[in-house]
């Protein structure tokens, strides 16, 4: 989407209209309403903070400025902690305390105040005033005869306190209630109920809302004056003390004087007396109506005071007053002993003095003597200055007295007297030059852009002045010669085109009177012209330089300059140089620093002109003064903890990096050798260092760390705080295999019977240990063998385990161990061989002897056949077998015998033929566990039996029974 030119113009016009309307609305809501001058009734004075107003023709509340005019129909309001006063044109005053609201109503010449809420005080000469009444709802308070009235409350219920004179309350029923002096009347406008309360204790002075003026140094002494009503003057309260002085606990045993009673005078900065008040105990004589006075020192400020009985049954109204310390004016001109010379007509004399806050007018007194008794003249003015003519020749004394609204605690104090002299003479006195001062430095480029101003004290009767500006190298030809009727002259840049470079100029001025006579030129004043581009330049340190705090006194600030003015070195805590740390006036071009605390500073060079104004000033440069670099903190190994490592391990010392550090220095000490570093590195660019801690003995070590930075263009050398870190190092050793030696060989039967003993040494008390065992490359569980159980909580030292029943094979073994996450397993793996178990020798056969033939004669009478052999050494069992060789059948198979014989009782197993019997020895641990086999011994025998022929049957005869 593209905007056309008309779209752009419409958008700009709309934006401009919105801006103008917004500005007008802002001005409207910020502006104060101004009424018709005929409706003006007075002005407002802020006592504390501010007040707001709602004009009669508006619904908007607006802020007021101090001394703003107020008009008929205005509604005025004060907020919390705010007070204001209305000063009416006829001198009547109306004070609004906090949270007060009133409306001003003017009906012709009669002025009324509509009281809405809060507390107001009406004072002044009401009898000659047009302020006749205060209206509260439908009730009117007439104050024609009263001089001081305080009204507080709201339209529903209010109280009227009359301090002087009388006041009348006129209700909506036409009833008139007269309120006498020194009494308070409270009226509920809703119910019509009222209560009149005369003041039993009457506070007389300071009066309500009075302003007390004090002009001397130190605290003022305030006389508090009061009296007792007649009923109270004759009454005493039992048990109260009659001692005067600071309040304290009353002693009931004290006697009660018949002539008076005790009261407490309380003075506080708040009307509710919540702040700790000043309390003074008074013994008051019983004299009705006679004022009593007590003077107490009191500082300036706003105060509230009252009197009350210690028991709290009797109290006076609270009165408010303010103490102001307002010193007399200080005289400014004419200067003391100043001489005014003239020829024929006395000059006009200008009197000036310092303005005094809160002064409404000033009284100037002139006299021919210091006692102000001769030729006294008085002049009143509202301004801090006045010009007078017609003063005759001679000496004149003068003083000024400020006029303040309020009551003075002492006679008004005038200023110190001044004196000047009028002298009629012959020759005209030269003009007194003012600016530029003698030896003023001027910058040539500034002259070319701004020009040059001259001024001098005016001369009474002077018609014109003539200024002359010359070069010191050629005084006969003025660069500028100009006339003016004013006591000053401004030369524009074109008038100074003759000044092209550095040099020295002189200027003079003279004046002409009305008779055409010229005075002598004033004393010549010199001007030094300087080229500011090269006159003053800082050199070192550069902007943003970082300086170690310990090197502050060694740091050298240098600059260059090419003119004679002294240089002021300034260093400040902030960039606007409002918080100067140091300013030193120097004639040279360098300065050593100071031991400044760490922080960011700004420094510059400045030269002052002779009149105290700044002539040249270099741009500010930043300087950071830093404390020693932060100490590195060792975090590995952890400080104070035991560091575990394995033999030969490399450990990294690591510490927190330090901002601004260029390198680190590290030293390592043993606790038992604190004076000699066992390791030191001076230039470590990174915050870590590998050390062979695993090759060092176990024990406690101390690490010393320190950060450094080398000097560069942007910073000085920086040295850090040294820090130490302690840790304990403990080398952990792996398990060491002891027995058997590597590649050992064990006899099979020995290994079977006695077992193989494995031993190792553990230097650490390990929480878990494991024997790793392999047989012919296959891992086996040692617990499968007798004696293979390892201890559950093995300690440090030599450990042994005996494995029994190991079958033949090649075994590899090692110890697996762990301690707090470290692998303490044996670093080597050993092997041993269990040889095969050799076979037992074959038994020596006894009977039947090999080759024996058993015939009919033997078999016919034998009931059994005994096989026997000699007992075999090493065998505890025998395996017997009987085999028929012709058929290969086993007649008695693998019969396990304990004795070295076998008796075959069943001869029916034997038949004609050849037989073989075998015996082998065995070593068994249990009946079923064979430890060692034996070789087979075989014997043979033959059973020889005749052939059996079938019997011959005789079948031709009959047999009996068939």
């Amino acid at each position: 989407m593209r905007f056309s030119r008309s779209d752009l113009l419409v958008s700009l016009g709309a934006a401009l209209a919105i801006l103008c309307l917004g500005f007008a609305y802002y001005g409207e809501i910020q502006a104060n309403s101004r009424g018709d001058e005929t409706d003006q009734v007075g002005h407002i004075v802020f006592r504390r903070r501010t007040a707001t107003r709602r004009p009669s023709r508006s619904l908007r509340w607006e802020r007021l400025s101090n001394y703003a005019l107020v008009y008929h129909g205005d509604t005025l309001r004060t907020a919390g902690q705010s007070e204001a006063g209305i000063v009416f044109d006829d001198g009547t005053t109306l004070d609004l305390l906090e949270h007060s609201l009133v409306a001003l109503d003017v009906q012709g010449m009669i002025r009324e105040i509509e009281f809405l809420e809060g507390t107001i005080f009406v004072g002044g000469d009401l009898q000659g005033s047009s302020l006749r009444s205060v209206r509260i709802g439908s009730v009117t308070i007439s104050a024609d005869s009263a001089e001081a009235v305080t009204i507080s409350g709201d339209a529903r219920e209010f109280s009227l306190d009359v301090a002087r004179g009388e006041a009348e309350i006129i209700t909506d029923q036409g009833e008139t209630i007269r309120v006498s002096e020194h009494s308070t009347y409270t009226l509920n406008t809703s119910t019509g109920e009222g209560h009149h309360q005369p003041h039993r204790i009457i506070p007389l002075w300071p009066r309500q809302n009075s302003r007390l003026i004090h002009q001397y140094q130190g605290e003022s002494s305030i006389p508090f004056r009061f009296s007792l009503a007649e009923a109270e003057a004759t009454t005493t309260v039992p048990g109260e003390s009659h001692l005067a002085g600071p309040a304290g606990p009353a002693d009931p045993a004290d006697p009660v004087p018949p002539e008076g009673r005790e009261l407490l005078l309380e003075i506080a900065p708040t009307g509710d007396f919540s702040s700790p008040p000043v309390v003074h105990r008074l013994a008051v004589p019983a004299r009705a109506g006679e004022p009593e006075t007590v003077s107490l020192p009191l500082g300036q400020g706003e105060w509230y005071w009252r009197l009350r009985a210690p028991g709290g049954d009797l109290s006076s109204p609270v009165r408010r007053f303010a103490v102001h310390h307002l010193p007399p004016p200080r005289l400014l001109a004419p200067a003391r002993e100043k001489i005014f010379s003239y020829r024929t007509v006395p000059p006009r004399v200008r009197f000036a003095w310092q303005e005094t806050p809160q002064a409404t007018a000033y009284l100037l007194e002139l006299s021919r003597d210091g006692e102000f008794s001769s030729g006294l003249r008085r002049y009143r003015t509202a301004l801090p200055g006045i010009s007078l003519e017609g003063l005759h020749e001679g000496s004149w004394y003068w003083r000024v007295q400020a006029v303040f609204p309020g009551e003075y605690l002492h006679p008004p104090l005038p200023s110190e007297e001044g004196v000047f002299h009028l002298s009629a003479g012959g020759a005209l006195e030269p003009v007194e030059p003012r600016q530029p001062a003698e030896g003023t430095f001027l910058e040539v480029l500034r002259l070319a852009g701004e020009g040059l101003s001259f001024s001098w004290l005016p001369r009474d009767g002077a018609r014109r002045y003539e200024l002359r500006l010359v070069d010191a190298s050629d005084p006969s030809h003025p660069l500028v010669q100009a006339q003016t009727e004013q006591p000053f002259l401004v030369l524009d840049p074109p008038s100074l085109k003759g000044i092209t470079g550095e040099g020295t100029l002189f200027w003079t001025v003279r004046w002409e009177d009305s008779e055409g006579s010229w005075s002598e030129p004033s004393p010549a004043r010199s001007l030094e012209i300087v080229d500011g581009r090269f006159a003053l330049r800082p050199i070192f340190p550069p902007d943003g330089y970082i300086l170690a705090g310990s090197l502050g006194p060694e740091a050298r600030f240098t600059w260059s300059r090419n003119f004679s003015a002294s240089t002021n070195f300034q260093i400040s805590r902030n960039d606007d140089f409002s918080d100067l740390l140091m300013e030193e006036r120097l004639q040279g071009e360098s300065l050593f620093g100071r031991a400044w605390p760490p922080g960011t500073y700004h420094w510059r060079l400045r030269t002052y002109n002779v009149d105290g104004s700044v002539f040249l000033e270099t741009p500010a440069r930043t300087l950071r003064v830093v404390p020693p670099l932060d100490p590195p903190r060792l975090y590995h190994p952890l400080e104070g903890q035991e560091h575990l490592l394995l033999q030969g391990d490399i450990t990294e010392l690591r510490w927190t990096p330090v901002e601004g550090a260029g390198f680190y220095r590290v030293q390592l000490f043993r606790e038992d050798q604190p004076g000699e570093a066992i390791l030191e590195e001076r230039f470590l660019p990174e915050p870590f260092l590998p050390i062979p801690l695993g090759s060092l003995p176990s024990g406690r070590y101390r690490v010393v760390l320190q950060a450094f930075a080398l000097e560069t263009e942007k910073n000085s050398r920086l040295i850090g705080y040294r820090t130490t870190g302690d840790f304990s190092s403990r080398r952990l050793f792996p398990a060491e295999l002891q027995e058997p030696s590597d590649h050992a060989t064990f006899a099979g039967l020995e290994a079977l019977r006695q077992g193989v003993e494995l031993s190792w040494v553990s230097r650490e008390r390990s929480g878990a240990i494991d024997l790793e065992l392999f047989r012919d490359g296959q891992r086996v569980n040692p617990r499968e063998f007798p004696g293979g159980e390892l201890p559950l909580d093995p300690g440090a030292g030599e450990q042994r385990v005996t494995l029994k029943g190991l079958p033949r094979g090649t075994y590899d073994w090692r110890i697996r161990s762990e301690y707090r996450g470290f692998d303490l397993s044996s670093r080597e793996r050993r092997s041993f061989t269990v040889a095969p178990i050799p076979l037992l020798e074959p038994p020596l056969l006894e009977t039947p002897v090999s080759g024996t033939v058993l015939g009919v004669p033997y078999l016919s009478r034998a009931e059994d056949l005994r096989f026997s052999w000699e007992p075999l050494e090493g065998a505890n069992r025998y395996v017997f077998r009987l085999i028929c060789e012709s058929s290969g059948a086993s007649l008695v198979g693998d019969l396990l015998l304990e004795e070295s014989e076998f008796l075959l009782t069943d001869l029916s197993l034997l038949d004609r033929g050849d037989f073989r019997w075998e015996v082998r020895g065995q070593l068994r641990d249990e009946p079923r566990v064979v430890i060692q086999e034996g070789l087979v011994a075989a014997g043979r025998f033959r059973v020889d039996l005749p052939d059996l022929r079938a019997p011959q049957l005789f079948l031709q005869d009959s047999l009996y029974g068939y």
Side-chain angles (χ1 to χ4, degrees), residues 660-688:
F663 63 93
Y664 304 89
R665 178 186 177 185
V666 181
Q667 292 176 301
L668 183 65
F669 297 87
R670 287 198 61 179
E671 193 176 58
D672 53 357
Q673 299 174 353
E676 181 180 355
I678 61 175
L679 183 145
E680 182 175 5
E681 291 291 340
R682 294 181 175 272
F683 296 95
L684 286 175
E686 300 297 333
F688 60 85

Side-chain angles (χ1 to χ4, degrees), residues 321-435:
F321 67 97
V323 179
H324 299 275
H325 179 260
L326 302 173
R330 185 171 63 88
L331 304 184
L332 300 178
R336 188 172 181 83
E337 302 293 345
K338 180 176 177 60
I339 299 176
F340 293 91
S341 299
Y342 64 95
R343 297 185 66 186
T344 57
V345 180
R348 175 189 294 267
V349 180
R350 172 66 179 174
F351 296 88
W353 51 89
Q354 189 176 31
E355 186 175 6
T356 304
Q358 302 187 31
T360 58
Y362 301 92
L363 293 178
L364 170 64
E365 294 183 337
L366 289 170
S367 177
R368 303 306 296 264
D369 59 7
E371 289 75 21
F372 290 85
S373 59
S374 174
L376 182 63
R377 300 185 185 184
R378 286 181 178 154
Y379 302 91
R380 184 184 180 98
T381 178
L383 301 176
I386 189 173
S387 295
L388 298 178
E389 296 179 342
L391 300 181
H392 305 298
E393 182 181 9
S395 298
W396 290 88
Y397 295 85
W398 67 292
R399 64 186 181 186
V400 177
Q401 177 183 326
V403 178
F404 299 106
E407 300 177 78
Y408 287 85
L409 294 173
H410 50 74
L413 184 65
S415 66
E416 296 181 353
E417 71 274 2
V419 61
F420 62 93
H421 310 279
L422 295 177
S423 175
L428 299 179
E429 292 187 3
V431 169
E432 181 180 348
R434 300 294 290 176
Q435 295 294 337

Side-chain angles (χ1 to χ4, degrees), residues 743-754:
H743 303 296
T745 301
F746 295 90
L749 186 57
E750 178 186 356
L752 190 63
R753 285 183 171 180
Q754 302 176 3

Side-chain angles (χ1 to χ4, degrees), residues 48 78-84 96-100 117-119 320:
R48 187 168 53 170
T78 57
Q81 303 297 321
S82 298
E83 296 181 9
L96 283 73
L97 305 189
E98 61 180 357
H99 299 299
S100 297
E117 63 178 358
T119 302
R320 187 184 71 159

Side-chain angles (χ1 to χ4, degrees), residues 762-781:
S762 294
R763 298 193 184 183
E764 312 298 334
R765 186 180 181 87
S766 176
I769 193 168
D770 184 28
L771 171 61
E772 196 175 72
L773 184 66
F774 294 86
R775 177 175 178 264
D776 296 332
Q778 298 295 322
R779 183 166 183 174
V780 294
N781 189 352

Side-chain angles (χ1 to χ4, degrees), residues 147-197:
E147 296 183 10
V149 173
T150 302
I151 304 171
S152 60
D154 53 30
R156 294 184 299 275
E157 184 175 7
F158 68 90
S159 64
L160 173 65
D161 182 0
V162 180
R164 294 194 308 275
E166 288 185 349
E168 292 180 348
I169 301 176
I170 304 173
T171 66
D172 55 353
Q173 303 298 326
E175 180 185 0
T176 300
I177 303 171
R178 188 177 303 277
V179 183
S180 61
E181 187 178 45
H182 304 313
S183 62
T184 301
Y185 191 86
T186 303
L187 176 64
N188 189 319
T189 58
S190 301
T191 63
E193 296 179 358
H195 176 67
H196 183 265
Q197 179 66 44

